[in-house]
Amino acid sequence: MAKRIEFAETGGPEVLKMHEFEPEPPGPREVRVTNWAIGLNFIDIYVRTGLYPVNGLPSGLGTEGAGVIEAVGEEVKEFREGDRVAYATGPLGAYATHHTLPADNVVMLPDSIGFDQAAAAMLKGLTVQYLLRQVYQIKSGDTFLFHAAAGGVGLIACQWARSLGARLIGTVSTPEKAAFARKNGAWATINYSEENVVERVRELTDGQMCPVVYDSVGRDTWETSLDCLAPRGLMVSFGNASGPVEGVNLATLNNKGSLFVTRPSLGGYADTRERLEAMSQELFQVIANESVHVNIGCRFRLDEAGEAQQNLASRRTSGSTILIP
């Protein structure tokens, strides 16, 4: 019998329950995937807690996974049963042994990339792709700040930045995470538990500060991130690990140097099948040529999803965390 994680009310990790279910047959332009590995991401916590509302309860959870197509619906021409695939853009329900989803949200997985790698890298890697290659086009010689550099997204960003010839300054919480980020390509690290981030950025950039700052932490680092920007710099706020940014005063952007701010999401960039395919191909290429190595820090069983989320939220993880159904 197929199994999945559901929640009937928003709240802590204890609301996540395992249930047996009958997998939906794929409808027109849909496929059903047998998951071999499932990605765990901060957005899953936002959904579970109600920060990102769902259409109705009870609800499934998770948007990222990798596996094998076991059934295809009508009008699906690009996939067939047995194809190795991966996905990252939903819909909700990836925390399951089987997942039915639109064919347009699925990409073929090269044989050179394993299911664990794909589940650990799709959402995070595509996030780095749009951050470094689209929101702001990082180029050789750029020096920029990236928060949470030892996390799943951060470690991919460290490596990708190095391959572009750029200098990534990563914030971390411990000396161990600092060493891990530098090993993976960070040009420099700042331990925010012990160092003043703004002052260290000023020292590292000889007072020039950064043309762009990437911030997935949210509320706790908002002001710090703005203060690390050069005049007319771009603040990229793409997550809420410490809570959402609220009460933004636009005059602050003027006072701090005519700054720009954007709040992007993967869904806003991989919004067509063509864009998703192109972004995925670039991600698979940097993995295949070993510019990016996928770091899987932890593996949990599907029924341990609550514990896995607790570890992620408490920042006890490095690299990516996956669930094995």
Side-chain angles (χ1 to χ4, degrees):
M1 178 66 74
K3 297 181 179 180
R4 65 184 173 194
I5 296 292
E6 295 180 358
F7 62 105
E9 59 181 331
T10 57
E14 70 280 355
V15 303
L16 301 181
K17 308 293 183 183
M18 180 82 89
H19 292 275
E20 293 186 345
F21 76 108
E22 186 66 34
E24 299 177 21
R29 293 294 305 157
E30 289 186 334
V31 297
R32 188 169 70 219
V33 178
T34 300
N35 284 330
W36 283 59
I38 300 157
L40 186 87
N41 299 283
F42 257 105
I43 193 171
D44 306 338
I45 298 175
Y46 304 156
V47 172
R48 187 203 74 214
T49 60
L51 178 63
Y52 291 178
V54 298
N55 291 330
L57 295 173
S59 172
L61 191 60
T63 61
E64 176 184 36
V68 175
I69 289 181
E70 68 166 23
V72 298
E74 296 178 2
E75 303 174 20
V76 176
K77 306 299 183 184
E78 62 271 46
F79 299 110
R80 60 183 181 182
E81 293 179 14
D83 281 345
R84 302 173 75 254
V85 295
Y87 57 91
T89 56
L92 292 177
Y95 281 26
T97 57
H98 302 74
H99 191 27
T100 300
L101 67 166
D104 287 343
N105 294 8
V106 175
V107 296
M108 292 286 287
L109 185 62
D111 291 340
S112 60
I113 298 176
F115 295 121
D116 286 15
Q117 283 182 300
M122 277 295 289
L123 191 144
K124 299 173 183 66
L126 292 176
T127 296
V128 174
Q129 196 281 338
Y130 81 73
L131 290 175
L132 271 57
R133 307 290 287 150
Q134 298 189 68
V135 174
Y136 184 99
Q137 293 189 10
I138 296 295
K139 60 185 181 299
S140 179
D142 283 343
T143 302
F144 64 97
L145 184 68
F146 203 102
H147 286 288
V153 173
L155 290 176
I156 294 175
C158 287
Q159 297 174 77
W160 209 321
R162 178 174 58 187
S163 75
L164 294 171
R167 296 186 291 263
L168 181 149
I169 302 171
T171 67
V172 295
S173 59
T174 68
E176 293 76 18
K177 289 188 176 184
F180 197 32
R182 289 194 298 269
K183 180 180 178 182
N184 280 273
W187 175 67
T189 55
I190 302 172
N191 184 345
Y192 61 80
S193 299
E194 302 175 352
E195 301 175 281
N196 182 291
V197 174
V198 177
E199 290 304 316
R200 282 293 291 141
V201 168
R202 184 171 288 111
E203 293 172 6
L204 290 165
T205 62
D206 295 325
Q208 297 302 302
M209 310 309 281
C210 299
V212 61
V213 171
Y214 295 101
D215 189 336
S216 62
V217 179
R219 181 174 54 210
D220 290 355
T221 52
W222 171 255
E223 289 289 341
T224 295
S225 294
L226 294 180
D227 289 339
C228 290
L229 284 166
R232 298 172 300 283
L234 174 63
M235 166 65 170
V236 184
S237 177
F238 69 100
N240 313 287
S242 67
V245 177
E246 299 174 335
V248 175
N249 183 347
L250 291 180
T252 301
L253 304 179
N254 174 41
N255 296 337
K256 291 183 181 293
S258 297
L259 304 178
F260 294 84
V261 174
T262 184
R263 180 58 174 89
S265 67
L266 177 57
Y269 280 82
D271 56 346
T272 66
R273 175 159 190 82
E274 292 73 24
R275 291 179 66 89
L276 174 62
E277 286 275 7
M279 293 167 66
S280 298
Q281 288 305 312
E282 186 170 6
L283 171 62
F284 294 154
Q285 182 178 3
V286 295
I287 294 175
N289 67 23
E290 299 185 346
S291 295
V292 170
H293 171 72
V294 181
N295 294 280
I296 302 175
C298 298
R299 290 174 170 84
F300 289 87
R301 298 192 311 270
L302 181 58
D303 61 4
E304 296 174 323
E307 179 184 350
Q309 288 192 356
Q310 281 183 305
N311 283 5
L312 182 63
S314 62
R315 303 184 186 182
R316 295 198 298 266
T317 63
S318 293
S320 299
T321 299
I322 61 173
L323 304 174
I324 304 298

